[in-house]
Amino acid sequence: MMRCENKNVLEIASLLRAAGGRALLAGGCVRDFLTGTQPHDFDLEVYGLSAAEIISALQGHYELDLVGMSFGVMKVHHCNIDIALPRTESKTGRGHRGFMVSPMPDLDFATAAARRDFTVNAMMMDVLTGEIIDPHGGQQDLKNGILRHVSSHFTEDPLRVLRGMQFIGRFGFSAAPETIRLCAQLSQEELAPERIAGEWDKLLLQGCFISAGLRFLQAVNWVRFYPELAALISCPQDPRWHPEGSVWNHTLAALDAAARLRSDNDFDALVLMLAVLCHDFGKAACTVCHPDGRITSAGHDTFTAPAENFISGIWLRRDLTDKVIPLIKAHMQPWQLIRDGSSDRAFRRLALHAKRLDLLADLVECDVRGIAAGREALHEKLLLLDKFRKRAGELALAQHPPVPLVLGRHLLARGIKPGPQMKPLLDRCFDAQIEGEFHDLDGAMKFLDTLL
């Protein structure tokens, strides 16, 4: 039998057993145990005790947050443990708060698990014995890599479609046909943006099979809620340069490559993943099929309105757009800089526009890996990118654009009075710095003195 090794979970289960209850791990942590992963967050479902009896049993041992008690849930402070009563839920209104929750300590396991989304998340495990309780066939579906909804209650929260997307993207599941049909009947129109963003975050930050998650979104026709994505599916590319086919196929392959490159820094990782996802959104409007069979998409890199709409429509964060859009606009430029043997000045100017040359190089690598080209061609392009990364590192531009050496305080120290006359001087000095006329503060001060 599998056993939970978390000391707090074990102690809480023992305290509750002494009070006459039975503590079962439930949901994703059981799935994680069965796949050989130690979970970081634990959901305990306690049978045979009322909320008051649970609180009494743990009082003096653990500090509880009771804010969620109206839903039959309490949190254990500092332990990443949620404790819940078995409960039934009935849809009473719109949104994720439109439910009537009825805690029932003596509810049977099958009914309690029926409110969950997928069978792989509807299993329970006795904390103290390791016994698996699986009333809906989750173990078999997990073994077969199948994502299947538990019951008709699935339709009560449409967010579960996006949960399906990110589960498939994270674990490589295949959706059961009946689940695909059910999801296709649902709509995300009543979902709050922050809930939608949360599921996309999990797909992009934790997914290893992101293309599979997005193909699920296509299969259930939820791309209709993301017109910028839908437009890629039928957008052609010249097969001489893109043998993988449509922009959709290319983007999915690039995203799978990005999943192998993203950093442990969540913000940087999300910026990269969104840049890769959105880098060719402009092609839907810019692609032209010529009479001679050529397919071109001139200007697609600078037409970023679709990317801006997509990002702002999901993430209510301007900082993401501010970092992603410059990368998209610059994603065609590294090749030219390396092939032309461009000057340090060109690298500094690119860094000013793109802001992060390290992330730009990663975006370009994913773009290349998203093309179904031969191994030799890929190797050649990756060597060029290595030169780009090396040069950016040597110029100390990989993670930061150039910072002006001449500042307002330097002008004040030379007797320049505060006012609009300062800006032209500062701009002239910064342009000279970018052009390479000086490289350190001493050189900057000498150059400034020539202007005064």
Side-chain angles (χ1 to χ4, degrees):
M1 288 287 186
M2 299 189 63
R3 296 295 297 271
C4 175
E5 298 175 2
N6 184 280
K7 293 181 180 179
N8 291 314
V9 172
L10 289 169
E11 183 179 25
I12 288 171
S14 296
L15 290 169
L16 295 174
R17 182 176 64 178
R22 187 182 186 189
L24 303 178
L25 287 168
C29 59
V30 180
R31 180 198 65 230
D32 290 344
F33 274 123
L34 292 174
T35 56
T37 303
Q38 282 291 325
H40 300 291
D41 300 305
F42 300 89
D43 291 322
L44 282 174
E45 205 157 75
V46 181
Y47 289 76
L49 295 176
S50 67
E53 289 170 329
I54 292 172
I55 294 169
S56 177
L58 300 182
Q59 194 170 17
H61 300 276
Y62 289 91
E63 182 183 355
L64 300 177
D65 181 346
L66 305 180
V67 172
M69 276 306 299
S70 59
F71 296 98
V73 178
M74 60 193 85
K75 294 181 178 291
V76 182
H77 280 297
H78 316 301
C79 293
N80 295 327
I81 298 171
D82 286 358
I83 298 175
L85 291 169
R87 59 196 186 273
T88 60
E89 297 174 352
S90 302
K91 187 73 169 172
T92 58
R94 292 173 60 86
H96 67 289
R97 298 185 184 277
F99 286 89
M100 182 176 69
V101 177
S102 302
M104 302 175 66
D106 297 319
L107 193 65
D108 66 276
F109 299 137
T111 303
R115 65 179 177 78
R116 296 190 175 271
D117 49 13
F118 301 104
T119 60
V120 295
N121 296 329
M123 298 176 284
M124 292 170 274
M125 185 175 88
D126 190 297
V127 174
L128 300 177
T129 68
E131 177 191 355
I132 300 295
I133 299 168
D134 181 17
H136 298 286
Q139 286 187 91
Q140 191 62 45
D141 282 345
L142 186 62
K143 180 180 178 181
N144 295 333
I146 299 295
L147 195 70
R148 190 191 318 274
H149 65 281
V150 175
S151 72
S152 60
H153 290 292
F154 182 91
T155 61
E156 294 175 348
D157 186 0
L159 186 73
R160 289 168 168 175
V161 178
L162 295 181
R163 283 174 61 79
M165 172 191 73
Q166 56 100 345
F167 282 134
I168 289 171
R170 287 165 59 196
F171 303 111
F173 294 132
S174 297
E178 62 270 26
T179 298
I180 291 176
R181 290 192 295 270
L182 190 62
C183 289
Q185 300 171 19
L186 304 180
S187 170
Q188 77 164 35
E189 291 174 355
E190 68 176 62
L191 297 177
E194 61 270 17
R195 299 188 76 212
I196 295 173
E199 301 307 318
W200 277 94
D201 283 347
K202 291 174 184 175
L203 173 72
L204 296 175
L205 296 178
Q206 301 177 36
C208 298
F209 313 94
I210 296 176
S211 61
L214 291 180
R215 289 197 187 279
F216 168 76
L217 209 66
Q218 179 186 10
V220 302
N221 195 28
W222 268 46
V223 290
R224 71 187 189 273
F225 302 116
Y226 307 97
E228 300 84 5
L229 279 180
L232 305 183
I233 295 173
S234 59
C235 186
Q237 300 184 109
D238 195 316
R240 291 174 298 174
W241 314 117
H242 286 278
E244 71 277 4
S246 69
V247 181
W248 174 253
N249 291 341
H250 167 69
T251 300
L252 297 192
L255 281 167
D256 285 344
R260 298 188 290 271
L261 279 183
R262 65 181 174 228
S263 73
D264 293 332
N265 179 299
D266 280 354
F267 183 74
D268 285 357
L270 188 55
V271 167
L272 173 63
M273 300 306 293
L274 284 173
V276 174
L277 176 60
C278 302
H279 78 282
D280 276 347
F281 276 9
K283 282 189 174 181
C286 297
T287 295
V288 177
C289 297
H290 299 274
D292 61 2
R294 291 180 303 115
I295 301 174
T296 60
S297 53
H300 77 278
D301 48 331
T302 57
F303 181 59
T304 58
E308 294 177 39
N309 291 338
F310 177 84
I311 296 169
S312 63
I314 299 176
W315 290 270
L316 305 178
R317 298 178 54 180
R318 184 68 205 180
D319 58 344
L320 278 177
T321 306
D322 289 343
K323 290 290 190 288
V324 172
I325 298 304
L327 294 175
I328 293 174
K329 288 182 175 179
H331 82 269
M332 303 292 288
Q333 297 180 38
W335 303 121
Q336 184 175 351
L337 264 64
I338 292 298
R339 286 170 176 160
D340 294 350
S342 296
S343 64
D344 293 350
R345 173 185 61 189
F347 272 80
R348 285 191 285 266
R349 291 205 175 278
L350 179 58
L352 280 177
H353 295 300
K355 300 183 181 179
R356 289 285 298 270
L357 294 189
D358 57 340
L359 294 181
L360 178 61
D362 288 345
L363 166 58
V364 175
E365 178 174 338
C366 296
D367 192 12
V368 170
R369 291 186 180 276
I371 298 172
R375 185 179 298 273
E376 185 175 339
L378 174 62
H379 180 67
E380 180 183 344
K381 289 189 174 183
L382 292 180
L383 286 178
L384 289 175
L385 265 178
D386 285 343
K387 291 182 180 179
F388 178 85
R389 287 189 172 100
K390 181 179 179 182
R391 189 87 170 274
E394 290 171 347
L395 295 172
L397 297 172
Q399 295 187 326
H400 305 283
V403 176
L405 291 171
V406 180
L407 305 174
R409 59 185 172 84
H410 298 125
L411 301 188
L412 295 174
R414 282 160 173 74
I416 304 296
K417 293 182 178 180
Q421 70 275 11
M422 295 179 72
K423 187 177 186 306
L425 282 171
L426 292 173
D427 289 346
R428 177 69 183 88
C429 290
F430 192 42
D431 283 342
Q433 178 184 333
I434 297 300
E435 293 293 320
E437 295 185 39
F438 56 83
H439 304 284
D440 54 26
L441 186 59
D442 183 58
M445 295 302 100
K446 290 178 180 177
F447 179 84
L448 174 60
D449 289 339
T450 67
L451 301 180
L452 302 178

